[in-house]
Amino acid sequence: LKSNPSNNEEKEAQTQLTKSDELQRLHSQALSAYQQEDYKAAISLLDEILAVCVWDAELRELRAECYIKEGEPSKAISDLKAAAKLKNDNTEAFYKISRIYYQLGDHELSLSEVRECLKLDQDHKQCFSLYKQVKKLNKQIESAEEFIREGRYEDAINKYDSVMKTEPEVPIYATRAKERICHCLSKNQQATEAIKFCTEVLQLEPTNVNALKDRAEAYLLEDMYEE
């Protein structure tokens, strides 16, 4: 304005200045809410800012952190994917996306995202460590599923035992492994064991259709028709 004064532009500049002051105030409040662990309030404030500052990668990463704390992983992934596009060489975003997918039990998408991180930096310690873990688990699961397709149920059971040893920390992998072991035992006509494994799964997931079907098959083998 100093270099080129004009009434119209002055009005526009004043509006923008007022808006930027307001956004800075909201930003301070959002950071304060985040530090006080009031993640809902932080998300609400960041929503307002990001409606204007659409291309701000840092703000999206902050909102993703809040979503993670609030147990909304799919929204966190959405913000992190945007941040990965908005900021060059954003290895941190790819690492976080990979970790979230891994925690959700989606090992294939986790592997795909951690590879993106390593494309940007092959010496990234966290990504390389996660990559080794996910790759090993992925290979075991693929191998177990191949055995099931070939009707090699005993081999598949052994492989799913290995899956549970490879990842004892994330419960969803043990549950999925038990679900598939139950399927193999049922197909292998080992009814008593099948019922035991299926029941373990159904205690955690009462509406798991696969476990219900496989346990039903096992009950049939035992002539337990009511069950």
Side-chain angles (χ1 to χ4, degrees):
L1 275 174
K2 280 175 185 168
S3 66
N4 186 13
S6 114
N7 284 340
N8 280 350
E9 283 176 13
E10 188 171 351
K11 209 170 180 183
E12 172 64 14
Q14 200 58 53
T15 307
Q16 295 285 20
L17 192 59
T18 307
K19 191 185 276 185
S20 78
D21 286 346
E22 170 67 4
L23 288 171
Q24 281 183 316
R25 188 179 63 77
L26 289 173
H27 187 215
S28 298
Q29 286 179 344
L31 288 174
S32 170
Y34 177 77
Q35 279 151 8
Q36 287 165 21
E37 298 181 14
D38 186 353
Y39 302 115
K40 271 200 174 76
I43 289 166
S44 174
L45 290 159
L46 289 164
D47 286 347
E48 279 190 69
I49 305 168
L50 280 159
V52 182
C53 307
V54 185
W55 315 115
D56 193 312
E58 272 85 8
L59 290 176
R60 287 192 178 276
E61 285 173 6
L62 181 60
R63 189 169 67 175
E65 282 300 311
C66 295
Y67 281 136
I68 290 167
K69 301 283 190 190
E70 281 293 300
E72 297 196 63
S74 57
K75 288 182 178 178
I77 287 170
S78 172
D79 266 344
L80 287 167
K81 284 193 169 177
K85 288 197 181 93
L86 289 167
K87 200 158 81 180
N88 285 340
D89 299 346
N90 197 342
T91 51
E92 196 57 31
F94 285 117
Y95 173 70
K96 284 179 181 171
I97 296 167
S98 179
R99 280 224 47 96
I100 295 171
Y101 277 133
Y102 187 69
Q103 296 290 328
L104 291 172
D106 199 330
H107 50 95
E108 287 168 335
L109 279 175
S110 175
L111 190 59
S112 159
E113 294 294 334
V114 81
R115 278 184 175 137
E116 290 300 318
C117 172
L118 289 171
K119 275 186 204 169
L120 295 171
D121 177 6
Q122 60 188 30
D123 298 322
H124 194 290
K125 281 198 175 75
Q126 287 176 305
C127 284
F128 186 65
S129 168
L130 181 60
Y131 171 72
K132 283 196 298 184
Q133 175 72 1
V134 185
K135 192 181 177 194
K136 182 180 179 184
L137 192 76
N138 197 53
K139 201 170 177 186
Q140 287 174 333
I141 293 170
E142 280 180 355
S143 173
E145 289 301 312
E146 186 60 36
F147 286 144
I148 290 172
R149 284 191 289 274
E150 291 168 5
R152 294 166 61 187
Y153 298 117
E154 211 52 61
D155 290 332
I157 289 166
N158 291 335
K159 196 55 81 172
Y160 270 118
D161 275 334
S162 302
V163 167
M164 289 193 278
K165 290 189 184 98
T166 298
E167 185 43 85
E169 302 295 320
V170 184
I172 194 161
Y173 292 108
T175 307
R176 288 292 152 268
K178 284 176 183 175
E179 180 194 309
R180 297 308 275 156
I181 288 171
C182 152
H183 176 73
C184 294
L185 290 164
S186 179
K187 289 285 183 194
N188 227 16
Q189 307 211 325
Q190 294 166 262
T192 311
E193 281 293 292
I195 291 164
K196 175 176 158 265
F197 272 92
C198 286
T199 302
E200 278 184 44
V201 174
L202 288 162
Q203 279 165 350
L204 297 166
E205 299 177 352
T207 56
N208 185 313
V209 175
N210 295 327
L212 286 166
K213 286 197 297 187
D214 288 323
R215 189 168 70 172
E217 291 291 337
Y219 280 142
L220 284 175
L221 292 169
E222 293 285 281
D223 298 333
M224 296 165 75
Y225 301 120
E226 282 299 319
E227 285 84 348

